Amino acid sequence: QEAIQLSTSSDYTQKSQTICWEIQFMTGKCYEKIASTLREEMYSSNCKEDACPARSYETIMTSAIRNYSEAFVGAQKAEQSSGGPDKSCIGGSSHGALECLYRLHASRFKVLISAIRRVREECELAELEAFRITSVAWFDESNQSSSDGVRGKTWDIFADCVDSLSHCRRVISLFHRAAYRLAQAYSWAPAFHNPDCDLTLGSKQAVPATKSYRIRGLDTGSCAESAAVVMTTLFEKRRTQLCAVWVTTSARPPPFEVLNDSLRKYDALRLKYIRAYIDCMRVCERRDKIETLLVCTATSNQDLPGFYEASASLRGGDPGKHAKQSLLRGSGRSFMTKVKLNAISAIAEMILKELADLKNNGVDNEGKMKLTHHFKLSYKLFRRLNSPCKEVVEFTRSNKPLVEVEAFCKCYLSIQAGYRISSINFDGMDIDTLCSILEGAVSKAKDLSKEERNKNG
């Protein structure tokens, strides 16, 4: 708190020759970090229908929004007086006024998400609190409607946040954080429309046209499709870093950028986007997109932490190509390992979903062909683990179940049972039995591959 108060002192900023709006931006970030620790604070028991004592979270988060807003105004004035933004400094905190604008409205959007995720009994109180916090600064005041109800107020703020995020992407098309946040907004649209909606259906639900027309870029169909359109822009081209995110360093970086720069943060950011992309493609059932991403990982450069860990496991030396390294040995914390396991698991989940559909609808001739195809595909996923059967089974018993192993074994048992979808539970199975099933599945998959080669031969 003392550091925040000192940063707002004009005497301090003049003596240290710092730029005022950058200090306000950093102050807003500090307040937001403090507020995040108070998010689960209890509401007062004295709350009434139209009045409730402000929580510490509301007070501090409102200060964060105000500081971001003041920083944006200051950055705009600085750019206007200097003839526009500095084109030589693009990326991250170097976006200047646009960065302040993004942070302001992304923070407002996160306040909204936090509100609708409260338990049902507190949801309305949380949404009214969110409206008080976020209505301190609007991107476009015409988004304010005359609605007095909590649903209308929430939708007004939601529409305003989406407008601001869309604006950031129009100004800089590869503003990756705005793209991610916009895709997140589309995914959460059903919950903003109705917090009581069945979230087990995910963002495949739709928002009525009477409300969706106000949200730029949100189609009347599945909200997941709208999110996928945005996330795909970060993965349209094959890149060694997998998604459209780069590390940029200014010639004269501001203090916030220096504090914000690290390789670990960069990898964490990339992984967040990749997981969001995989999840979007899984919900939209675009398996080919995830398979393409998996292929790209094989030719991408290995992350340094992963390389050092693989080398250390050999007690020094070159561990070779990461595409041939086991995904189950070591800490499992390397960037490439996490990407591969996420992609493999997503495809396996899609296979299990289709197996459940086959069980409900029955397995005809077309279903038999699908089941065989899924068996071959799940074998490919299993091989990407680069681990022998016993090691895989021991991993599932000492860590957590692997959905790709379940998909592979379930396909195998279903084919062996005369194309009847197996409903066996693998969780309670002993190691020897599961290992035997897995080895049988591998042997069957090899035989099918050999038959295909002979047929095409």
Side-chain angles (χ1 to χ4, degrees), residues 344-345 347-353 355 370-390 392-393 396 401-417 420-422 424 426 429 434-449:
I344 289 170
S345 295
I347 296 173
E349 285 176 14
M350 295 172 72
I351 291 174
L352 288 175
K353 181 180 178 299
L355 289 181
K370 277 186 177 181
L371 183 55
T372 304
H373 173 75
H374 291 332
F375 177 60
K376 293 175 183 176
L377 177 58
S378 59
Y379 176 54
K380 289 180 181 178
L381 298 179
F382 172 78
R383 288 185 61 190
R384 286 186 179 275
L385 297 176
N386 292 320
S387 302
C389 292
K390 189 172 182 180
V392 171
V393 172
T396 61
L402 293 170
V403 67
E404 50 270 36
V405 173
E406 182 183 351
F408 185 36
C409 291
K410 191 161 280 191
C411 286
Y412 167 67
L413 292 175
S414 299
I415 291 173
Q416 293 298 97
R420 292 191 299 272
I421 305 301
S422 172
I424 192 169
F426 297 98
M429 195 174 286
L434 182 55
C435 191
S436 176
I437 293 173
L438 197 53
E439 287 171 349
V442 170
S443 178
K444 177 73 174 179
K446 287 180 178 179
D447 289 343
L448 282 178
S449 298

Side-chain angles (χ1 to χ4, degrees), residues 186 190 201-207 218-228 283-284:
Y186 293 150
L201 295 175
S203 51
K204 291 194 76 171
Q205 299 173 86
V207 173
L218 183 65
D219 291 334
T220 54
S222 166
C223 292
E225 293 291 343
S226 298
V283 173
C284 295

Side-chain angles (χ1 to χ4, degrees), residues 259-306:
L259 292 172
N260 214 30
D261 185 28
S262 72
L263 180 62
R264 182 182 295 178
K265 187 177 180 72
Y266 172 62
D267 282 345
L269 189 68
R270 284 196 296 160
L271 187 62
K272 181 171 75 171
Y273 296 164
I274 290 168
R275 281 174 168 165
Y277 174 73
I278 290 172
D279 200 40
C280 267
M281 297 306 110
R282 178 186 59 79
V283 173
C284 295
E285 299 180 354
R286 299 183 189 177
R287 192 174 64 209
D288 59 315
K289 297 288 186 181
I290 306 177
E291 289 174 348
T292 300
L293 180 67
L294 258 179
V295 171
C296 289
T297 61
T299 56
S300 295
N301 297 327
Q302 187 172 19
D303 54 298
L304 284 176

Side-chain angles (χ1 to χ4, degrees), residues 90-92 95 174-180 231 233-248 262-263 265-274 335:
I90 295 179
H95 281 325
L174 285 179
F175 196 149
H176 50 80
R177 281 170 301 144
Y180 167 80
M231 284 307 301
T233 61
L234 299 179
F235 296 86
E236 286 176 331
K237 298 178 181 178
R238 288 197 175 191
R239 297 181 171 93
T240 55
Q241 76 273 30
L242 299 180
C243 63
V245 184
W246 297 269
V247 174
T248 57
S262 72
L263 180 62
K265 187 177 180 72
Y266 172 62
D267 282 345
L269 189 68
R270 284 196 296 160
L271 187 62
K272 181 171 75 171
Y273 296 164
I274 290 168
F335 172 78

Side-chain angles (χ1 to χ4, degrees), residues 6 24 33 99 110 197 208 230 262 374 381 397 416 438:
L6 180 62
Q24 289 171 322
K33 290 290 185 185
E99 169 68 17
K110 286 189 282 186
C197 67
V230 179
S262 72
H374 291 332
L381 298 179
R397 290 297 175 259
Q416 293 298 97
L438 197 53

